[in-house]
Amino acid sequence: MAVARKIKTLLTVNILVFVGIILFSVYCRIQDRSQELVQIVRSAERRARSRGAKVGSLADREAILQRLDHLEEVVYNQLNGLAKPMGLVEGPGGLGQGGMAATLRDDSHESETKYEEYGYNAQLSDRISLDRSIPDYRPKKCKQMTYPDDLPQISVVFIFVNEALSVILRSVHSVVNHTPSHLLKEIILVDDNSDNVELKFNLDQYVNKRYPGLVKIVRNNKREGLIRARIQGWKAATSPVVGFFDAHVEFNIGWVEPALTRIKEDRKRIILPAIDNIKYNTFEVQQYANAAHGYNWGLWCMYIIPPQDWLDKGDESAPIRTPAMIGCSFVVDREYFGEIGLLDPGMEVYGGENIELGMRVSKEGDTLCNVCLQRKTGACGPAKVLPT
């Protein structure tokens, strides 16, 4: 027994020493990076003083910012991130990169259960990085456009109830990753009384640590429904412009500038970013053709062919005027939205908001337009997980 205790003690000591060495190594690497950064800053200051040239100063500042970004990435990776303990994935690479179709080898009963619960392959979503890239389908002219420097800030509002945590966080990551920081005032998550446990503590802890001060969570004490939940998001917003989106979308570069530019030109515009489809089973990004929004005699919103005058222009970067809207994705001046009465809080059934707001805005003689200044997935809007 004495020998066994000695062996156990030795093993314990060896393990503690090994862990201590690893922690000390990580600490040393961080210290080395910090010292290196300090040297870069001091060197940059000396060069800036000696040259006295604005161009040189800006170049040095850019180099410092790049080093800071790299240092943050090194430290974050060494700490394994915040997503790993929740079974999620962050960073580049992995399944579904570039919007490609992804599959799992270990399909199980759990996967089928999640299909039924969420309407999409939530188990696959958990294996796809929260920071994955998606294709840029913009026409060449869109990529060459420039926008004013003094655009208003935007509050992005996501509405959800019992959504998969990975899908919500991918929506948040994509809008943070692809919106210029000076334009993104805040992200507001409106939880319409979810009963999914992981959408409580895990979600709060993650966003508070990963995006402190940027992400707000509004929780309804009872199920209010989509329309009243959006109104709650509007009440919580503090920026001049508010964007309303479902919490199962992915943004790409250049989505916000054209929408904000149109609203800056005329605050009485409601902007409908064009969207693509994220396939529910493989999370492949599927490009949709340019379209306007209309409605049939049953007052059901539907995609329609763009107006002939728009087609005659032959310019895919031009906005499309449209008489209806798709409620899952629109951007509006916050004060103007309040002036026209917001959305009708009495609506209880899905679908009415797709035409109700369009009718009221058109009646006032304002322009209800679909921005296609940049196109589709992340172009002037997000890709969206659509139901089967």
Side-chain angles (χ1 to χ4, degrees), residues 4-298:
R5 283 196 298 270
K6 288 182 179 180
I7 293 175
K8 184 176 180 180
T9 302
L10 288 173
L11 287 174
T12 302
V13 170
N14 286 335
I15 292 172
L16 291 174
V17 170
F18 180 71
V19 172
I21 292 173
I22 292 177
L23 292 176
F24 181 72
S25 175
V26 171
Y27 173 78
C28 289
R29 290 184 65 183
I30 294 175
Q31 287 293 102
D32 290 342
R33 297 284 185 177
S34 300
Q35 291 297 325
E36 183 180 345
L37 182 61
V38 169
Q39 293 299 325
I40 292 174
V41 172
R42 291 175 178 173
S43 176
E45 290 177 348
R46 287 195 298 269
R47 287 198 298 270
R49 286 195 297 267
S50 62
R51 293 176 188 173
K54 185 176 180 181
V55 175
S57 178
L58 290 175
D60 291 337
R61 182 186 176 196
E62 184 65 26
I64 293 170
L65 291 175
Q66 290 178 357
R67 298 295 297 177
L68 280 170
D69 289 342
H70 179 65
L71 176 61
E72 180 183 5
E73 181 182 352
V74 170
V75 174
Y76 193 78
N77 289 338
Q78 288 177 345
L79 295 177
N80 291 321
L82 298 171
K84 189 175 181 179
M86 298 187 298
L88 305 180
V89 183
E90 293 178 284
L95 292 173
Q97 287 300 316
M100 299 296 290
T103 57
L104 293 175
R105 294 180 181 179
D106 53 341
D107 286 340
S108 61
H109 176 69
E110 179 186 359
S111 179
E112 295 178 2
T113 302
K114 287 193 173 184
Y115 260 111
E116 296 175 359
E117 181 179 357
Y118 298 109
Y120 51 76
N121 193 343
Q123 189 174 22
L124 173 61
S125 175
D126 293 347
R127 308 283 184 86
I128 294 175
S129 174
L130 303 179
D131 300 296
R132 77 155 177 174
S133 61
I134 54 177
D136 183 355
Y137 288 133
R138 291 176 297 169
K140 182 178 180 180
K141 185 175 179 179
C142 295
K143 299 177 183 180
Q144 298 171 346
M145 286 188 170
T146 58
Y147 301 97
D149 294 328
D150 57 343
L151 293 174
Q153 288 187 307
I154 187 171
S155 299
V156 174
V157 177
F158 291 119
I159 311 297
F160 68 90
V161 56
N162 292 331
E163 197 85 64
L165 178 60
S166 60
V167 168
I168 295 173
L169 293 181
R170 192 173 299 110
S171 300
V172 173
H173 273 245
S174 67
V175 77
V176 172
N177 292 342
H178 300 111
T179 307
S181 58
H182 69 283
L183 297 179
L184 183 61
K185 176 68 178 295
E186 61 202 354
I187 298 172
I188 299 170
L189 301 177
V190 182
D191 178 4
D192 196 19
N193 199 32
S194 299
D195 53 27
N196 190 329
V197 176
E198 70 174 359
L199 298 183
K200 305 299 182 182
F201 176 77
N202 283 354
L203 178 60
D204 285 2
Q205 184 184 51
Y206 182 89
V207 298
N208 289 336
K209 290 185 177 180
R210 187 72 170 87
Y211 301 114
L214 179 64
V215 180
K216 304 176 182 178
I217 300 180
V218 177
R219 298 194 186 276
N220 292 335
N221 295 325
K222 64 176 183 178
R223 185 70 54 81
E224 295 288 353
L226 184 61
I227 301 305
R228 289 189 291 274
R230 284 183 182 143
I231 294 175
Q232 292 293 344
W234 175 83
K235 289 179 179 178
T238 60
S239 66
V241 178
V242 183
F244 297 90
F245 300 92
D246 288 348
H248 41 256
V249 297
E250 296 182 43
F251 296 80
N252 210 327
I253 186 171
W255 78 273
V256 75
E257 292 91 334
L260 294 179
T261 299
R262 296 286 289 169
I263 290 177
K264 178 179 172 60
E265 293 171 351
D266 184 351
R267 65 185 289 267
K268 293 185 177 181
R269 286 174 174 155
I270 295 181
I271 309 303
L272 308 181
I275 61 174
D276 281 330
N277 176 35
I278 300 175
K279 300 186 74 171
Y280 73 98
N281 54 346
T282 65
F283 279 75
E284 177 186 4
V285 177
Q286 182 182 44
Q287 184 179 8
Y288 276 176
N290 279 327
H293 300 284
Y295 49 89
N296 58 21
W297 289 108

Side-chain angles (χ1 to χ4, degrees), residues 295 300-301 323-328 350-358:
Y295 49 89
W300 187 254
C301 185
M325 61 178 286
I326 182 167
C328 66
Y350 168 80
E353 80 279 7
N354 291 333
I355 62 169
E356 184 266 344
L357 183 59

